[in-house]
């Protein structure tokens, strides 16, 4: 049950800086309100009050609103006009599309001498014969109205009372709480107060179930200090190819048959963010890269995504310097041999005291164990 609270009224009083004591106009339409309360104590200066499109069954708690000029209670569940005798300034009363079948209840407005406009269109009493003549006779102060005749009013009221009794019995069976929401929304419902209450109840229940559904957890891509984080929401395998000092080569194992249009690459100087079917893969580099010289390509065999990203602060050694360095090292490790000098290589291997196979010494025969 939705109730009229101080917070609700202050929220609707933004045009009056949230002050409700001096409020002259208040709109509480389409709030599923089921009872009029507190307004006559908190907003005594109200001149215009909108309460249409709610679930209000009874007109009540408005007797202190002496300055009220316009009251809109259209599209509610009101079945009887009552409790407005002390609203002395009331000039316009809108009760369109309610369920007023007690036509004689209009007599409760006889003391509202300033009442000029009364709207009862769409109520059951409008179908009564001589409706207009009856209301005009009972409320001579009116200037505008739609109506019926007085002679057949009582019979019509009795007939409507019998109809309402039967209708409540029928609707009570149709509004069985064991009926599923799907069957209820597919079924045809009668136009009556009970149906409106049931529709409102099931609508609120559906909203509550939607709110109770667990929401998707938001992925944090940055720390509180603004530093990018490593994230693998897509749970994809990855690796850095080689250990090239000049560039980073990232191999991301994207699904082989995934459409390339479902892949988004956002390359930044210190990190790369890849979105695969709405899921994020983000990795941070140990140093900055050159974004404008980086490339991204898709393997036609494996479907992997390969990113080639040159390092920004890389200073590779020149090839000439490497060659010179190698020659210098060679001189340190080897002796220099000049071509003009004569060298005697004959005595490099001297004759040993041990017997050799070139001697005539006989080789002993092999022994088999």
């Amino acid at each position: 049950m939705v109730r009229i609270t101080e917070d609700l009224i202050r929220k609707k009083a933004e045009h009056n800086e949230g002050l409700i004591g001096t409020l002259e106009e208040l709109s509480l339409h389409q709030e599923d309100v089921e009872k009029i309360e507190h307004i006559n104590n908190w907003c005594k200066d109200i001149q215009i009050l909108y309460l249409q499109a709610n679930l209000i069954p009874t007109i009540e708690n408005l007797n202190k609103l002496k300055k009220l000029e316009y009251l809109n209670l259209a599209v509610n569940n009101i079945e009887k006009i009552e409790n407005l005798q002390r609203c002395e300034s009331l000039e316009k009363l809108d009760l369109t599309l309610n369920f007023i079948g007690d036509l004689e209840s209009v007599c409760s407005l006889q003391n509202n001498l300033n009442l000029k406009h009364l709207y009862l269109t769409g109520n059951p009493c409008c179908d009564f014969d001589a409706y207009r003549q009856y209301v005009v006779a009972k409320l001579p102060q009116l200037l505008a109205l739609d109506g019926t005749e007085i002679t057949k009013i009582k019979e019509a009221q009795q007939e409507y009372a019998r109809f309402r009794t039967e209708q409540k019995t029928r609707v009570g069976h149709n509004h069985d709480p064991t009926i599923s929401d799907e069957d209820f929304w597919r079924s045809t419902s009668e136009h009556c107060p009970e149906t409106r209450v049931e529709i409102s109840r099931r609508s609120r229940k559906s909203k509550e179930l939607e709110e109770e559904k667990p929401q998707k957890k938001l992925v944090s891509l940055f720390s509180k200090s603004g530093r990018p984080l490593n994230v693998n929401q897509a749970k994809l395998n990855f690796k850095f190819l080689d250990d090239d000092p000049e560039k980073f080569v990232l191999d991301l194992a994207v699904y082989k048959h995934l459409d390339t249009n479902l892949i988004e690459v956002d390359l930044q100087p210190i990190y790369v963010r890849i979105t695969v079917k709405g899921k994020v893969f983000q990795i941070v580099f140990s140093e900055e890269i050159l974004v404008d010289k980086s490339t991204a390509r898709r393997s036609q065999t494996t479907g992997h995504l390969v990113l080639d990203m040159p390092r920004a602060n890389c200073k590779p050694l020149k090839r000439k310097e490497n060659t010179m360095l190698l020659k210098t090292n060679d001189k340190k490790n080897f002796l220099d041999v000049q071509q003009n000098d004569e060298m005697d290589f004959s005595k490099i291997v001297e004759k040993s005291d041990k017997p050799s196979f070139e001697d005539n010494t006989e080789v002993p025969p092999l022994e088999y164990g």
Side-chain angles (χ1 to χ4, degrees):
M1 175 180 177
V2 179
R3 306 192 65 174
I4 299 175
T5 62
E6 183 177 353
D7 291 339
L8 177 61
I9 296 179
R10 288 190 185 278
K11 180 180 178 181
K12 298 296 183 177
E14 294 177 352
H15 61 283
N16 198 41
E17 299 180 350
L19 301 176
I20 63 176
T22 59
L23 198 61
E24 295 182 352
E25 181 175 341
L26 177 61
S27 179
L28 295 175
H29 64 285
Q30 295 181 339
E31 294 290 342
D32 284 345
V33 175
E34 297 184 23
K35 184 178 181 180
I36 304 173
E37 53 187 347
H38 304 307
I39 298 176
N40 60 336
N41 293 322
W42 295 341
C43 311
K44 294 184 179 181
D45 291 334
I46 281 288
Q47 297 180 13
I48 301 175
L49 180 58
Y50 297 99
L51 290 170
Q52 69 269 28
N54 284 293
L55 301 171
I56 299 171
T58 306
I59 303 174
E60 58 186 343
N61 297 323
L62 297 174
N63 55 309
K64 296 181 181 179
L65 303 181
K66 302 297 182 181
K67 298 181 180 180
L68 183 63
E69 297 179 359
Y70 175 34
L71 176 60
N72 192 332
L73 285 168
V75 195
N76 276 283
N77 291 339
I78 298 170
E79 299 190 61
K80 184 178 181 181
I81 303 173
E82 57 187 346
N83 300 324
L84 292 174
Q85 294 88 336
R86 296 188 180 181
C87 298
E88 303 167 355
S89 302
L90 188 62
E91 297 181 2
K92 185 177 180 180
L93 176 60
D94 192 346
L95 294 169
T96 302
L97 286 175
N98 276 274
F99 298 93
I100 300 173
D102 185 358
L103 186 58
E104 290 184 341
S105 63
V106 299
C107 298
S108 64
L109 300 174
Q110 289 179 339
N111 293 329
N112 300 95
L113 301 178
N114 293 315
L115 184 62
K116 304 299 180 184
H117 302 275
L118 178 62
Y119 296 90
L120 295 172
T121 305
N123 284 274
C125 62
C126 294
D127 297 329
F128 300 168
D129 295 337
Y131 163 79
R132 175 176 294 275
Q133 291 85 339
Y134 179 81
V135 175
V136 171
K138 295 296 181 180
L139 304 175
Q141 70 271 33
L142 291 179
L143 297 178
L145 177 71
D146 299 322
T148 51
E149 193 178 22
I150 191 173
T151 54
K152 298 183 179 180
I153 290 300
K154 291 183 178 180
E155 294 180 2
Q157 286 183 181
Q158 293 174 357
E159 183 179 351
Y160 178 74
R162 290 192 296 270
F163 167 77
R164 279 292 292 142
T165 302
E166 296 173 358
Q167 187 181 51
K168 289 178 181 179
T169 303
R170 291 195 305 271
V171 172
H173 293 298
N174 294 336
H175 294 172
D176 188 348
T178 59
I179 298 176
S180 64
D181 290 342
E182 184 178 357
D183 293 337
F184 175 79
W185 294 119
R186 287 182 177 179
S187 63
T188 302
S189 301
E190 294 191 47
H191 182 59
C192 63
E194 291 77 16
T195 297
R196 285 186 178 174
V197 172
E198 185 68 12
I199 290 173
S200 176
R201 186 186 69 82
R202 289 182 181 266
S203 298
R204 289 200 302 270
K205 180 181 177 182
S206 300
K207 291 180 180 179
E208 291 173 357
L209 292 176
E210 288 292 331
E211 293 175 355
E212 290 177 0
K213 288 183 178 179
Q215 298 181 353
K216 293 183 179 179
K217 185 179 180 180
L218 298 178
V219 179
S220 298
L221 301 178
F222 298 91
S223 64
K224 293 182 179 180
S225 60
R227 181 174 60 86
L229 302 175
N230 291 328
V231 178
N232 192 357
Q233 185 187 19
K235 298 182 179 179
L236 298 174
N237 295 327
F238 68 96
K239 62 181 177 179
F240 284 96
L241 302 178
D242 303 329
D243 190 10
D244 195 332
E246 298 184 4
K247 61 183 179 180
F248 293 107
V249 181
L250 175 64
D251 185 330
L252 185 63
V254 177
Y255 314 117
K256 181 176 180 179
H257 301 289
L258 180 68
D259 189 349
T260 306
N261 293 328
L262 299 176
I263 304 174
E264 297 180 5
V265 180
D266 181 12
L267 193 60
Q268 300 296 329
I270 60 173
Y271 70 91
V272 61
R273 182 186 305 154
I274 303 172
T275 305
V276 180
K277 293 183 66 177
K279 295 186 177 181
V280 178
F281 171 87
Q282 178 172 289
I283 192 166
V284 183
F285 307 123
S286 57
E287 57 182 281
E288 290 189 8
I289 63 169
L290 299 175
V291 177
D292 54 341
K293 295 184 179 180
S294 300
T295 60
R297 60 187 185 276
R298 189 93 181 271
S299 172
Q300 295 183 353
T301 55
T302 63
H304 288 197
L305 181 67
V306 180
L307 277 71
D308 197 325
M309 302 163 286
R311 302 174 189 250
N313 300 322
C314 178
K315 295 181 180 180
L317 295 175
K318 296 181 180 179
R319 291 184 179 180
K320 292 183 178 180
E321 295 177 354
N322 293 340
T323 305
M324 294 299 294
L325 182 61
L326 179 59
K327 289 181 178 180
T328 303
N329 292 336
D330 290 345
K331 290 181 179 180
K332 293 180 180 179
N333 295 330
F334 302 97
L335 295 175
D336 292 334
V337 178
Q338 298 181 1
Q339 295 179 359
N340 295 329
D341 296 341
E342 295 181 0
M343 296 186 67
D344 185 9
F345 296 96
S346 60
K347 295 183 179 181
I348 291 179
V349 180
E350 295 182 356
K351 189 173 182 179
S352 175
D353 295 336
K354 296 180 181 181
S356 64
F357 293 106
E358 294 179 359
D359 299 336
N360 295 326
T361 308
E362 294 183 0
V363 179
L366 295 174
E367 295 180 1
Y368 297 92

